[in-house]
């Protein structure tokens, strides 16, 4: 599952992860805890 995470400074897509992300455009390192990401669980499947 690929999620698109954006740099808070320049808004380009971040790479690497999932704990520490890196922006290739502005060379900034961002921790996952500093990003505003919301976890959305999968919908349950009826058995």
């Amino acid at each position: 599952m690929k999620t698109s995470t954006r740099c808070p400074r320049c808004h380009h897509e971040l790479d690497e992860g999932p704990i520490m992300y890196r922006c290739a455009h502005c060379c900034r390192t961002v921790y996952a805890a500093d990003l505003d990401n919301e976890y959305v669980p999968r919908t349950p499947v009826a058995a």
Side-chain angles (χ1 to χ4, degrees):
M1 179 168 92
K2 173 87 170 125
T3 58
S4 178
T5 308
R6 300 286 178 173
C7 176
R9 180 183 292 168
C10 67
H11 304 290
H12 282 83
E13 191 168 336
L14 297 171
D15 58 358
E16 298 178 22
I19 297 170
M20 184 182 298
Y21 294 94
R22 185 176 145 334
C23 179
H25 185 260
C26 68
C27 299
R28 181 178 183 183
T29 303
V30 182
Y31 284 98
D34 295 333
L35 297 173
D36 186 23
N37 290 336
E38 182 178 337
Y39 173 72
V40 179
R42 297 163 125 184
T43 54
V45 178

